[in-house]
Amino acid sequence: MEPDKSALAEADLVRMAQRGDMVSFEELVGRYRDKIYARAYSMMRHEEEALDLSQDAWVKGWQRLAQFQGDSSFITWMTRIVINLCLDQLRKQKRQRAESIEAMEENDGGGIERRMPVVQPNPTLGLERAELRERIDRALVQLSHEHRTVLVLHEFEELEYKEIAKRMKCSIGTVMSRLFYARRRMASLLAGLKRESSE
Amino acid sequence: MKHDLQLKVQAWLDGELPDREARQIAEWIARDAEASALAAELGCIKKAMFRNEAAAAPGESREFYWSKIERQIQREAGLRRGAGTPWYARWRRYLAPAAGVAALACVLVMAVRQNGPPTFDEISSTIDGMEAVTFHDQTSQMTVVWLQDNTPASAANIPVQDPVLSPDRPVPVSDM
């Protein structure tokens, strides 16, 4: 019978897993699988892909466990791995598909985001937390991969411009521009959702 | 408003500007209604999204989710082991048993040859009018040849010089 590892601290589990104890690693997977899956899902917006990528991230995590020095928390380290896998996958998909109209609008001389009227009043005002989350999720679906990714990395992962640019292999200027567009689009979409619900 | 100024407002909001520039932008936002409205809109989205990610969970049980990870880890570990082995080491696993079987077969053949019954090879050669029968005894390493003259005149014309060469008696030709 396998020993119960559920009471052990994360640091102990990581140490034992680094020595090759798969049962400890399984416990870590059990603890954080939802968070890793959620990050993959927020970037890919596709359940099957998110599932595969989250599992690939755990396999990579096991293989690179010796490199984990404890500079950040284990879950932060794992989240970086799944983000990188998702970004690689998105890059592959981007190569395979034609550029979206949305991306063309962003890159043309007069980006639509610059001309959009400022949304007032605050479209998130008075919403319950669960409802707010649900609306944010629905609005995120309508963004392009590029805009959603930069927003997820900045707002959910709390990464700085420089770090996002490094991970997305683009310039800081592109990150700022994408983030600006994504936020303005989100404001517009959330206002639309608010109007829908009040009608 | 110029796009670079819009981006400055956003960078100010995200705390990405150096202190001096941040102060300048803050002063400008406080004076400019358009910049102020833009800062309010961007700020409310930033605030709304902060720690408000919708929860998502894989639709599989913990055991099933883990089993796929475990299988992949084991499969990739196997592939890495295989990739790290030199070609001659991979061949050795097949060549070693084959060489063993071949060696065993050689030993068996040699044993049978050494311990088996002696064999007598018989070679016949016929010359006009002469008949020769050869026996080789491997055990005693000796070859014996019988010669028989069947020509009609042989009995009368060829004198028998040596009783050993008598047609009816075997003659040891050579010791091998």
Side-chain angles (χ1 to χ4, degrees):
Chain A
M1 190 175 158
E2 287 174 354
D4 182 20
K5 307 256 181 180
S6 59
L8 290 177
E10 177 189 296
D12 295 330
L13 290 169
V14 171
R15 239 189 327 274
M16 286 189 278
Q18 282 177 323
R19 288 199 290 261
D21 180 13
M22 240 184 180
V23 180
S24 297
F25 191 68
E26 183 185 354
E27 175 61 27
L28 288 166
V29 172
R31 282 188 195 183
Y32 300 122
R33 72 181 183 127
D34 286 1
K35 182 149 176 44
I36 297 301
Y37 171 81
R39 176 56 61 248
Y41 183 73
S42 67
M43 291 177 74
M44 307 307 294
R45 307 304 301 194
H46 189 282
E47 287 180 10
E48 286 292 315
E49 272 185 325
L51 193 65
D52 288 345
L53 288 166
S54 71
Q55 286 170 322
D56 287 349
W58 286 111
V59 174
K60 289 254 180 301
W62 169 262
Q63 289 166 346
R64 298 175 187 170
L65 212 46
Q67 296 168 22
F68 177 68
Q69 302 294 318
D71 302 331
S72 60
S73 70
F74 178 72
I75 185 60
T76 303
W77 184 73
M78 274 304 304
T79 306
R80 298 290 183 267
I81 292 177
V82 78
I83 286 171
N84 287 341
L85 287 177
C86 290
L87 288 172
D88 287 345
Q89 183 67 14
L90 289 170
R91 270 190 283 271
K92 272 185 217 163
Q93 288 175 357
K94 192 183 174 184
R95 278 198 293 272
Q96 287 164 1
R97 67 169 191 262
E99 288 291 320
S100 68
I101 293 167
E102 202 166 20
M104 284 191 284
E105 280 177 347
E106 179 203 6
N107 293 329
D108 76 3
I112 195 169
E113 75 281 8
R114 296 182 216 169
R115 300 189 298 269
M116 285 196 300
V118 171
V119 174
Q120 283 179 325
N122 181 352
T124 64
L125 209 63
L127 291 177
E128 291 293 325
R129 196 181 174 105
E131 195 179 0
L132 176 60
R133 283 184 172 185
E134 193 262 327
R135 285 192 187 188
I136 287 171
D137 197 52
R138 279 169 64 191
L140 278 172
V141 178
Q142 297 183 56
L143 298 183
S144 71
H145 284 303
E146 289 83 3
H147 295 118
R148 185 167 52 245
T149 300
V150 82
L151 207 54
V152 164
L153 295 182
H154 193 271
E155 310 299 12
F156 295 156
E157 283 302 318
E158 299 172 40
L159 297 182
E160 294 178 353
Y161 294 171
K162 193 169 66 178
E163 186 67 19
I164 296 170
K166 193 173 133 191
R167 288 180 187 279
M168 294 187 76
K169 296 187 171 70
C170 63
S171 68
I172 290 177
T174 302
V175 169
M176 290 171 77
S177 191
R178 285 180 180 172
L179 188 59
F180 181 76
Y181 175 86
R183 278 173 167 158
R184 298 226 61 201
R185 216 33 203 128
M186 283 294 284
S188 168
L189 290 165
L190 288 170
L193 289 171
K194 192 175 187 180
R195 272 195 301 276
E196 273 176 31
S197 66
S198 60
E199 280 170 7
Chain B
M1 192 189 305
K2 285 185 177 175
H3 189 47
D4 59 336
L5 283 175
Q6 291 177 324
L7 295 183
K8 289 276 185 197
V9 171
Q10 176 178 250
W12 169 77
L13 207 64
D14 291 329
E16 293 267 0
L17 292 178
D19 289 346
R20 191 177 168 188
E21 197 176 2
R23 275 197 301 275
Q24 288 172 347
I25 295 292
E27 285 168 14
W28 172 63
I29 288 170
R31 286 195 311 268
D32 189 286
E34 194 185 355
S36 176
L38 179 65
E41 184 198 74
L42 296 174
C44 97
I45 294 301
K46 182 179 169 71
K47 194 177 163 192
M49 289 193 73
F50 183 68
R51 292 185 185 162
N52 267 326
E53 186 177 9
E60 296 177 344
S61 70
R62 176 177 164 158
E63 290 72 24
F64 190 61
Y65 184 82
W66 165 249
S67 71
K68 286 207 278 186
I69 295 167
E70 190 178 31
R71 275 203 306 276
Q72 204 175 330
I73 287 172
Q74 286 165 349
R75 189 168 54 242
E76 292 196 13
L79 287 174
R80 282 176 181 209
R81 271 198 300 273
T85 315
W87 64 270
Y88 52 84
R90 288 199 296 277
W91 273 101
R92 200 165 50 198
R93 83 167 67 161
Y94 304 107
L95 289 176
V101 168
L104 189 65
C106 284
V107 168
L108 284 171
V109 167
M110 286 173 73
V112 166
R113 282 194 171 181
Q114 283 183 356
N115 301 328
T119 53
F120 299 98
D121 299 326
E122 183 178 310
I123 304 160
S124 295
S125 169
T126 307
I127 309 168
D128 283 348
M130 294 288 287
E131 190 174 272
V133 178
T134 305
F135 281 101
H136 176 68
D137 183 358
Q138 286 190 335
T139 314
S140 54
Q141 294 294 294
M142 186 177 73
T143 303
V144 181
V145 180
W146 278 270
L147 297 172
Q148 179 139 6
D149 188 353
N150 295 330
T151 52
S154 64
N157 299 335
I158 299 172
V160 176
Q161 293 177 340
D162 189 335
V164 174
L165 293 175
S166 167
D168 297 324
R169 294 182 61 189
V171 181
V173 171
S174 63
D175 286 341
M176 304 293 285

